[in-house]
Amino acid sequence: MHKIEKLFDINIVLMTLFSSVETIREEKNIELIYDMEATIPRELRGDPDVLLRVLNKVLTFVCQNTDEKEIVLSLDAPEDFLYEEFISFTINDIHIEKEKIRQFLETDLHDAIEILEGEIVYEDDADIHINLPFKISELGHRRHYRLPDISMLGKKVLLICENEAIAHSIEKMFKYFLYDVDVGFDAFKAQGNDLTPYDILIVDDHLNTEEFEHLIARIQQNIPLKYVLLQDAHITERKMISVSTNLIKPVTEESVYELIISLFKIQTASREVRSHSKINTIDLEKYLQSNKDSEKSEEQSSAVQESLEAMIEKRRGMDLPILDRTIGEANIKHTGLTYAHELKTFLDTFDRSDLYFREIVNQRSINKIKEFCIDLERQAKLIGAESMFKLAETLSLIFVYDKLDMLPIYPGKYHIELQKLTEAIKKELQLK
């Protein structure tokens, strides 16, 4: 039989494979993980249909016969993929009898592997090991992914993922792009629990909470942090305050490549200046796992109460400008808009908002309070309304940590602050 050679994307094959075994995986509650080495070319020449058929049979067999809840399909290739090389497909730790595996490979896969001119490898520690030859799409094209802009280089990633196999796989994929990657709570603690150095924070969706999203939104006022949720494909998306985008399982090099481009495609080559405020420091482990351990939650609540009180007390002694034009103009210089335009936008948005704020506080409309404070904090910072920004920042902490008993005094404070800021803005606009 003539060997077929078509140009194909290995990532498309893997995504199709993931969908093709979805039913049996869900029936047995099995997680499928792709562990791809950086040596795997993005585009190959060969027979993708037969490759898909082989891998589908392998994974179906494994799912039917294993009691494990996690299957890792590893892909590896030689460092110098010059023309035609073997790609290794291996699966380990499935705890199926060796003889049963051997019988399956020799009877069910023999013909398809022969079409691909591949080989079954028995002389190693892998439970299943198949080598299949493929050609590279372009001679000398060794680096398989190239980021389109220099501004996308040199990023630092914090990955919080409880599944070690998934975390290890994603870490390798980011390191392919020469990204610096910290994995887990311990690595973050070693950095002083400070989010300032990081460009991307990736968190398992099941660890995320709405309160945590609001806390990250507040931190994003100080640093250009991209917050990414690692999600299963079937998760229904909802409106989220601080989440930049999602990274959908199964993760491949292609999806990491697309993620990077989507996060930084509109960023300029110049790196943004980062605030080194203590506000960027957070105990992620306590916060993200608080729903699993009530004792930790109580300790965190006590610490937060002390932190809030200290911040409020500190603010009382601060003499902050009501409106600082220098700061405001610096904040909007890259937006293409004018300072006067942003001042008018603030007036249009927050005119008589003190009445609205009092109403939602009285009603204890938590979600509305959260959204209002995030918007106020963002807009106040943008125009250089330093005093209002600090008030909004305090409010953010109060509702993020569900300290609603502290809220009733703030409608009056906000009313006074809004009056002063409105007068300052109108005075500034009259000078134009």
Side-chain angles (χ1 to χ4, degrees), residues 2-199:
H2 179 66
K3 185 178 178 181
I4 295 175
E5 286 191 5
K6 293 195 296 186
L7 183 65
F8 68 95
D9 188 328
I10 185 66
N11 297 278
I12 294 177
V13 172
L14 293 176
M15 295 302 293
T16 305
L17 173 66
F18 191 84
S19 298
S20 69
V21 295
E22 183 175 14
T23 300
I24 188 169
R25 285 192 304 102
E26 290 186 346
E27 286 176 357
K28 299 193 66 176
N29 193 27
I30 294 174
E31 176 104 55
L32 174 58
I33 302 164
Y34 294 143
D35 186 17
M36 301 176 66
E37 295 295 335
T39 53
I40 301 296
R42 181 183 188 180
E43 293 184 329
L44 296 165
R45 291 190 179 277
D47 192 332
D49 298 327
V50 178
L51 171 61
L52 179 60
R53 188 157 70 242
V54 167
L55 295 179
N56 181 282
K57 285 186 176 182
V58 169
L59 287 179
T60 300
F61 167 78
V62 173
C63 288
Q64 289 173 339
N65 293 279
T66 188
D67 292 325
E68 298 299 312
K69 296 303 179 185
E70 181 177 288
I71 299 173
V72 179
L73 175 61
S74 300
L75 287 72
D76 196 6
E79 184 69 30
D80 293 324
F81 205 118
L82 299 178
Y83 178 58
E84 183 176 37
E85 302 288 351
F86 278 110
I87 293 181
S88 296
F89 299 85
T90 59
I91 300 177
N92 279 308
D93 302 321
I94 52 177
H95 299 100
I96 302 174
E97 294 178 8
K98 291 288 186 181
E99 186 56 36
K100 191 171 187 177
I101 294 175
R102 180 184 288 269
Q103 183 178 1
F104 160 73
L105 293 174
E106 292 180 351
T107 57
D108 290 56
L109 286 189
H110 177 269
D111 291 345
I113 290 178
E114 189 174 69
I115 291 173
L116 295 174
E117 298 179 359
E119 60 183 19
I120 301 170
V121 180
Y122 297 107
E123 297 79 16
D124 65 0
D125 296 331
D127 290 337
I128 296 177
H129 182 173
I130 300 171
N131 285 340
L132 302 174
F134 293 97
K135 294 178 181 178
I136 198 167
S137 63
E138 181 182 345
L139 289 177
H141 189 187
R142 298 188 186 184
R143 189 153 186 87
H144 314 303
Y145 295 87
R146 291 179 174 85
L147 295 174
D149 193 272
I150 192 173
S151 67
M152 299 178 182
L153 303 175
K155 306 297 183 183
K156 187 175 178 69
V157 180
L158 175 59
L159 172 61
I160 305 296
C161 177
E162 291 186 326
N163 187 303
E164 292 184 6
I166 294 177
H168 178 65
S169 172
I170 295 175
E171 178 186 13
K172 285 198 297 187
M173 293 176 192
F174 273 104
K175 285 186 173 180
Y176 173 86
F177 298 101
L178 306 181
Y179 277 28
D180 186 9
V181 184
D182 286 339
V183 179
F185 296 117
D186 290 341
F188 182 58
K189 287 179 182 177
Q191 296 292 323
N193 287 340
D194 186 10
L195 285 170
T196 305
Y198 296 100
D199 300 278

Side-chain angles (χ1 to χ4, degrees), residues 281-305:
T281 302
I282 176 177
D283 191 331
L284 286 180
E285 185 172 18
K286 280 188 177 181
Y287 200 93
L288 290 174
Q289 295 187 333
S290 60
N291 60 329
K292 298 181 180 180
D293 190 332
S294 59
E295 291 183 3
K296 284 185 178 181
S297 181
E298 290 174 4
E299 292 173 4
Q300 181 185 7
S301 177
S302 176
V304 168
Q305 182 73 33

Side-chain angles (χ1 to χ4, degrees), residues 354-418:
D354 51 340
L355 300 178
Y356 171 72
F357 182 61
R358 184 180 297 277
E359 179 183 348
I360 60 178
V361 168
N362 290 338
Q363 294 175 350
R364 286 185 169 254
S365 302
I366 298 175
N367 289 333
K368 290 181 179 179
I369 296 171
K370 291 177 180 179
E371 292 176 2
F372 177 83
C373 291
I374 291 295
D375 290 341
L376 177 63
E377 191 173 350
R378 182 182 297 112
Q379 294 299 319
K381 181 179 181 180
L382 182 65
I383 64 174
E386 294 293 285
S387 184
M388 180 66 85
F389 171 68
K390 285 299 179 183
L391 177 63
E393 196 174 56
T394 304
L395 284 167
S396 294
L397 283 175
I398 288 172
F399 70 73
V400 163
Y401 291 107
D402 199 24
K403 298 298 180 182
L404 298 184
D405 57 312
M406 302 176 69
L407 274 175
I409 64 171
Y410 280 91
K413 291 179 179 291
Y414 177 62
H415 170 73
I416 295 172
E417 199 70 47
L418 182 64

